[in-house]
Amino acid sequence: MEYIDNMPLMDLMRSEKMTFVQLIIPAESAHRAITYLGQLGLLQFRDLNAEKSPFQRTFVNQVKRCVEMARKLRYFKDQIHKAGLLLPPLHASQPDAELEEIEIQLAEHEHELIEMNANSEKLRQSYNELLEFKMVLQKASGFLVSSSSHTTDREIELDENVYSSDNHGDTASLLEQEMRSELSNQSGVRFISGIICKSKVLQFERMLFRATRGNMLFNQAVPDDEILDPSSNEMVEKIVFVVFFSGEQARTKILKICEAFSANCYPVPEDTTKRRQITQEVLSRLSELETTLDAGLRHRDKALTSIGYHLTKWINMVKTQKAVYDTLNMLNFDVTKKCLVGEGWCPIFAKTKIQEALQRATFDSSSQVGIIFHVLDAVESPPTYFRTNSFTNAFQEIVDAYGVAKYQEANPAAYTIVTFPFLFAVMFGDWGHGICLLLGALVLIARERKLSSQKLGSFMEMLFGGRYVLLLMSIFSIYCGLIYNEFFSVPFHIFGDSAYKCRDATCSDAQTVGLIKYKDPYPFGVDPSWRGSRSELPFLNSLKMKMSILLGVAQMNLGIILSYFNARFFSSSLDIKYQFIPQVIFLNSLFGYLSLLVVVKWCTGSQADLYHVMIYMFLSPFEALGENRLFWGQSVLQVVLLLLALISVPWMLFPKPFILKRLHMERFQGRTYGILGTSEMGIDDQPDSARERAEEFNFSEVFVHQMIHSIEFVLGAVSNTASYLRLWALSLAHSELSTVFYEKVLLLAWGYENIIIRLVGLAVFAFATAFILLMMETLSAFLHALRLHWVEFQNKFYHGDGYKFMPFSFALLADDDD
């Protein structure tokens, strides 16, 4: 036991030792001290103002200012993005600026930018209106010319036929005189011209037809240019229309419909000369506006470029300052209102660094009083902190996704680094597919520096984060593929010739019949002669099924052994005597014995039926084994193991709750009366003995919990062992899928002499390999390996009810602003 206790600890085996500290910071150096601690990133502050709302805290005004500045910076960033400009990288040579100076600069820049945008929007609106007016003038002229020529012909005909006599005006009726006066001034047909979005034309025409009951003529034409919509900054396609109608009532209805459909109406004169003059004026004004708009855009781009040069630094500074003030809001003022008091957790190794940072803050702020840093005793459990690097971080994240380890609890990530990719490879074993995964992992690792600085999508970010997991999975897949002797389901004689050959020269089908063993077994992995033989499937099934049992029992034993190290570390002898020992006995009396039988059968070449042995071990333990006996004394050993398994169940269930009850009674025997506390003394302020006595021992709850734990282990030992058979099932499925795609797609297509059929078959084989075997099968094997670790392995020792160490660190600030 002393040897085990003196063994050096692995880096990931236990979380870092933490200590609870208190800081008493003078007000004049508080901001600088918190800033230096944020740069260090090794202290997790506890919120001492949790009962206060965010608006009741001391530095709420400073936080509001930072939020407002962050809003302005987001506005600048959006404007730069809309303008199509690129943000320059952060220059280290840029001088530092105070927050107040930045606030003034941001306000000036925002005011200037808003004013420029407003002017630009007004100019753009005027430009669009003139552009639409130009389109209407150009397209409506054609409709008006044809209409005026038709009206002129009607007037000439009317003058010749009706008003041919000189004295007709004296004798004409009043109606005829009225008609003549109207025709002399204008025709009875009037028109409205304008422009509308193309998507609304059909509904617009239908509404006009219904409103005027068909007493209108609707003409439309497609303009030559599209118009830029200022709101969406996209080109919009519009239609020029001219509506001919008669009567004032119809005119009112048409104008209301135009307003409802957001159609812009423009006055077009009937006189050709006037239309030409107006068109020239519109073109001249358009040219002037284009020049003004270009100058305004250049001025705005210049201003945005100037802002973009400092934008990244401003964003980082505002973000850090907001984080500093948020942290200061977690501190309390002392009774003198001159010092801030903070509490938090830090790793023990970081105490010296934190003290140095606090001393530097005192010196830089020219404070006359130093910052007090001292250690306190804490009642609550410390946070969990593992120091990881880019290689081990992904495996730690896999474990943390199940649950964060309790403080100083054995960390499964230390073993997951090897066991997770290996169990994946057992299901995925094919060294051809493994090489493909290896190439992908090497590409991600080679471009690590470039990709880490880019904004990746969700899928690519997940893939990049697990690049080292993918690397180990591919290496182990190559290893298991060599054991299975599968390269895209094709066997190769890599390690020498096969141990089997044809019985005689007349052996025509050497792949299925007539093979005999003529030398020692194949040196590494599965003999290639098994591929295509009649007994290939039974042989591989038997091999992979037994191998799955062996791996499962080994990993579950590792989990139970880790529960022993947990109990040793936390000095819990009850867990060792009444959980670890009976669990080891129960698991190995049944499934450890099964693993022993598998190994003995492989070594001796026996034909014993292991199913019969295990079934009748329970049904008829005293019956002779007969031809199923593998070694001497097997029957006696089976009876002993069965009795040990039966004894271990009550061993797990009953002793621990009663011993805990006895220990609780002995602890408080003779101490029924404790120290009297005042009414102002809370439970946290009482001595340890009084606080322990306040926690009553509930025997029924402890017994039920132990019973559930025992039943879960007994039933889980069976179900978890069966669950490891997924290693066999998925390995078989992957192998058979590879065989189907190779034989039924590639070889079938290669049997034709046509080059097109061969290329199509090769393309289908490549597609199936890439998307089904390399993507879907990889994801499937990954999820199954994840389940084996979370459920079958970690439930033997891992509680996962801790909380992660979240230090105040500028490096951990989110990319997006709050």
Side-chain angles (χ1 to χ4, degrees):
M1 295 302 176
E2 293 182 0
Y3 172 75
I4 293 176
D5 293 336
N6 294 328
M7 288 177 63
L9 291 176
M10 291 188 292
D11 288 340
L12 282 176
M13 183 63 183
R14 305 280 175 192
S15 61
E16 295 292 335
K17 292 182 179 180
M18 310 294 290
T19 182
F20 190 68
V21 298
Q22 186 182 56
L23 305 176
I24 301 177
I25 311 173
E28 62 271 14
S29 58
H31 185 277
R32 195 176 296 272
I34 298 300
T35 302
Y36 288 171
L37 291 176
Q39 294 171 354
L40 187 62
L42 289 173
L43 180 62
Q44 175 179 327
F45 285 93
R46 191 171 73 168
D47 192 359
L48 301 180
N49 300 310
E51 72 281 355
K52 294 182 180 179
S53 70
F55 300 101
Q56 295 175 329
R57 305 203 178 197
T58 307
F59 299 93
V60 62
N61 292 327
Q62 287 83 348
V63 173
K64 288 180 180 179
R65 289 170 56 196
C66 292
V67 170
E68 179 62 19
M69 285 189 285
R71 182 197 62 77
K72 294 176 182 177
L73 291 170
R74 285 196 302 269
Y75 173 70
F76 295 152
K77 193 172 183 180
D78 292 340
Q79 291 297 314
I80 292 174
H81 179 71
K82 286 182 180 179
L85 303 176
L86 295 177
L87 284 174
L90 181 63
H91 296 281
S93 59
Q94 294 179 0
D96 294 332
E98 294 294 333
L99 194 64
E100 290 75 11
E101 297 178 7
I102 295 178
E103 187 175 14
I104 295 172
Q105 292 179 18
L106 293 182
E108 293 175 353
H109 287 308
E110 185 187 29
H111 178 72
E112 181 184 5
L113 202 56
I114 289 175
E115 188 175 353
M116 283 192 292
N117 286 338
N119 294 333
S120 177
E121 188 175 351
K122 290 179 181 178
L123 290 174
R124 174 59 62 180
Q125 186 176 0
S126 301
Y127 179 81
N128 286 345
E129 290 176 355
L130 288 173
L131 188 61
E132 289 179 352
F133 194 13
K134 185 194 78 169
M135 293 177 182
V136 172
L137 286 171
Q138 290 175 348
K139 296 300 177 180
S141 297
F143 302 133
L144 294 178
V145 169
S146 60
S147 174
S148 62
S149 62
H150 180 66
T151 305
T152 304
D153 293 339
R154 287 174 52 194
E155 290 178 357
I156 293 172
E157 182 181 357
L158 185 62
D159 288 340
E160 291 177 351
N161 296 334
V162 180
Y163 308 110
S164 57
S165 60
D166 296 336
N167 58 351
H168 185 78
D170 298 333
T171 59
S173 65
L174 293 175
L175 179 60
E176 291 173 348
Q177 291 180 8
E178 183 66 26
M179 290 175 59
R180 186 177 179 88
S181 63
E182 288 182 359
L183 288 172
S184 62
N185 295 328
Q186 62 178 3
S187 173
V189 178
R190 305 165 68 183
F191 70 91
I192 292 177
S193 57
I195 193 167
I196 190 173
C197 290
K198 187 177 180 180
S199 59
K200 301 178 181 179
V201 170
L202 292 177
Q203 297 177 355
F204 180 63
E205 184 179 1
R206 189 179 298 116
M207 183 62 69
L208 288 175
F209 184 84
R210 291 176 179 174
T212 60
R213 299 184 180 180
N215 295 319
M216 64 94 190
L217 179 63
F218 185 83
N219 291 310
Q220 59 179 339
V222 180
D224 300 330
D225 301 324
E226 293 182 345
I227 297 177
L228 181 67
D229 186 8
S231 58
S232 62
N233 205 22
E234 295 179 355
M235 301 303 292
V236 179
E237 192 172 356
K238 294 196 174 185
I239 297 294
V240 174
F241 66 88
V242 177
V243 183
F244 294 94
F245 60 92
S246 177
E248 185 65 27
Q249 189 176 4
R251 179 178 179 276
T252 305
K253 291 181 179 179
I254 292 172
L255 289 176
K256 288 183 177 179
I257 293 172
C258 290
E259 184 180 357
F261 279 85
S262 301
N264 298 327
C265 298
Y266 297 96
V268 177
E270 296 183 26
D271 188 9
T272 306
T273 305
K274 290 183 178 179
R275 283 203 302 270
R276 289 175 182 172
Q277 292 177 355
I278 293 176
T279 303
Q280 291 298 327
E281 293 178 5
V282 168
L283 291 175
S284 175
R285 290 183 60 189
L286 279 174
S287 177
E288 294 175 359
L289 280 176
E290 283 181 359
T291 305
T292 308
L293 278 172
D294 290 341
L297 286 176
R298 286 195 299 270
H299 180 62
R300 193 187 68 169
D301 289 347
K302 184 178 179 181
L304 288 175
T305 304
S306 175
I307 294 172
Y309 182 77
H310 304 279
L311 187 63
T312 304
K313 181 179 180 180
W314 287 346
I315 290 175
N316 293 334
M317 187 170 181
V318 171
K319 198 185 300 182
T320 55
Q321 291 302 312
K322 181 179 180 298
V324 167
Y325 286 117
D326 283 335
T327 305
L328 286 171
N329 278 330
M330 300 170 68
L331 276 58
N332 259 342
F333 273 102
D334 66 342
V335 291
T336 63
K337 299 294 182 180
K338 295 182 180 179
C339 294
L340 286 166
V341 179
E343 297 177 355
W345 294 97
C346 72
I348 289 181
F349 72 85
K351 286 172 60 179
T352 304
K353 297 179 180 178
I354 292 174
Q355 289 174 336
E356 291 175 356
L358 295 177
Q359 291 174 2
R360 187 157 47 93
T362 303
F363 178 78
D364 292 344
S365 59
S366 302
S367 176
Q368 301 297 324
V369 182
I371 300 174
I372 300 175
F373 175 88
H374 59 94
V375 179
L376 298 179
D377 293 330
V379 178
E380 63 186 51
S381 176
T384 303
Y385 174 52
F386 294 102
R387 280 191 281 182
T388 58
N389 51 35
S390 58
F391 179 80
T392 58
N393 182 65
F395 296 97
Q396 188 63 54
E397 290 295 328
I398 289 175
V399 174
D400 290 346
Y402 174 82
V404 179
K406 189 171 63 175
Y407 177 65
Q408 292 279 284
E409 182 182 15
N411 184 20
Y415 306 93
T416 302
I417 294 174
V418 176
T419 58
F420 183 85
F422 178 72
L423 291 185
F424 168 87
V426 171
M427 296 179 276
F428 192 76
D430 187 302
W431 62 280
H433 298 153
I435 289 175
C436 295
L437 292 182
L438 179 62
L439 293 176
L442 291 177
V443 169
L444 292 174
I445 294 172
R447 304 181 63 187
E448 180 176 351
R449 181 173 298 178
K450 181 180 179 181
L451 292 175
S452 60
S453 60
Q454 293 180 355
K455 191 78 172 179
L456 305 175
S458 57
F459 176 77
M460 194 62 192
E461 186 176 1
M462 178 183 65
L463 198 63
F464 177 71
R467 58 195 179 279
Y468 290 107
V469 179
L470 190 64
L471 175 68
L472 289 187
M473 289 183 345
S474 61
I475 292 174
F476 279 111
S477 296
I478 295 173
Y479 171 73
C480 289
L482 292 173
I483 292 179
Y484 298 156
N485 202 348
E486 291 186 7
F487 179 82
F488 296 101
S489 78
V490 180
F492 283 87
H493 295 78
I494 302 175
F495 302 100
D497 296 330
S498 172
Y500 299 88
K501 69 176 182 178
C502 200
R503 180 179 285 114
D504 50 36
T506 61
C507 179
S508 58
D509 191 1
Q511 289 296 323
T512 56
V513 293
L515 292 178
I516 60 172
K517 187 175 181 180
Y518 74 99
K519 67 173 188 178
D520 291 336
Y522 195 66
F524 185 84
V526 176
D527 196 303
S529 294
W530 285 106
R531 176 66 64 182
S533 64
R534 292 178 179 177
S535 55
E536 175 194 6
L537 202 57
F539 168 74
L540 292 178
N541 276 346
S542 176
L543 170 67
K544 293 180 179 180
M545 180 175 64
K546 293 181 175 65
M547 183 179 64
S548 301
I549 297 295
L550 293 177
L551 293 175
V553 172
Q555 191 176 31
M556 288 190 291
N557 272 297
L558 174 62
I560 297 175
I561 291 171
L562 288 177
S563 71
Y564 166 78
F565 283 104
N566 268 341
R568 286 279 301 174
F569 184 83
F570 293 112
S571 302
S572 178
S573 59
L574 285 179
D575 289 338
I576 296 176
K577 295 177 182 177
Y578 304 109
Q579 279 193 6
F580 167 72
I581 295 177
Q583 285 179 359
V584 169
I585 292 174
F586 182 84
L587 181 65
N588 291 286
S589 296
L590 302 179
F591 301 105
Y593 173 63
L594 174 61
S595 302
L596 175 65
L597 295 181
V598 170
V599 174
V600 172
K601 183 178 180 179
W602 279 350
C603 294
T604 60
S606 172
Q607 298 297 318
D609 186 0
L610 300 187
Y611 295 106
H612 183 277
V613 173
M614 293 302 297
I615 291 173
Y616 281 91
M617 177 180 176
F618 294 93
L619 298 180
S620 303
F622 300 101
E623 183 179 325
L625 294 173
E627 60 182 9
N628 291 320
R629 194 184 75 167
L630 289 168
F631 52 88
W632 181 85
Q634 183 180 355
S635 299
V636 178
L637 179 62
Q638 286 188 175
V639 174
V640 173
L641 292 177
L642 186 61
L643 290 175
L644 287 175
L646 293 176
I647 293 172
S648 62
V649 175
W651 190 352
M652 279 187 285
L653 176 60
F654 293 108
K656 186 177 177 181
F658 288 98
I659 293 175
L660 287 174
K661 182 179 180 181
R662 180 175 57 83
L663 291 176
H664 181 80
M665 294 179 66
E666 290 178 354
R667 184 183 305 167
F668 300 111
Q669 187 176 6
R671 289 186 287 169
T672 305
Y673 301 100
I675 301 174
L676 291 175
T678 63
S679 59
E680 298 177 355
M681 182 181 294
I683 186 68
D684 294 334
D685 301 325
Q686 295 178 15
D688 291 341
S689 60
R691 189 160 55 243
E692 290 175 357
R693 195 161 45 251
E695 300 174 0
E696 296 184 0
F697 181 80
N698 192 335
F699 174 76
S700 60
E701 183 179 345
V702 172
F703 185 81
V704 169
H705 175 77
Q706 186 66 23
M707 181 174 63
I708 292 173
H709 183 76
S710 302
I711 295 174
E712 182 183 7
F713 179 82
V714 171
L715 298 180
V718 180
S719 64
N720 293 348
T721 306
S723 182
Y724 276 95
L725 293 176
R726 71 183 68 234
L727 299 173
W728 156 51
L730 266 77
S731 174
L732 178 64
H734 185 83
S735 176
E736 292 302 313
L737 273 176
S738 302
T739 304
V740 167
F741 291 139
Y742 175 72
E743 294 181 354
K744 302 302 180 183
V745 176
L746 189 61
L747 291 185
L748 188 63
W750 226 251
Y752 293 90
E753 297 297 332
N754 192 332
I755 187 64
I756 297 178
I757 296 178
R758 289 187 174 184
L759 290 176
V760 170
L762 183 61
V764 173
F765 176 76
F767 178 84
T769 300
F771 288 94
I772 297 179
L773 295 177
L774 291 181
M775 291 185 66
M776 294 178 62
E777 283 286 308
T778 299
L779 181 61
S780 174
F782 181 91
L783 293 176
H784 282 283
L786 198 63
R787 183 245 153 76
L788 289 177
H789 280 78
W790 280 358
V791 179
E792 278 71 28
F793 174 52
Q794 292 180 187
N795 70 352
K796 301 294 184 296
F797 69 99
Y798 188 63
H799 292 89
D801 54 355
Y803 63 101
K804 189 177 289 189
F805 176 61
M806 298 296 291
F808 170 60
S809 172
F810 294 153
L812 297 178
L813 292 177
D815 292 334
D816 52 341
D817 297 326
D818 294 335

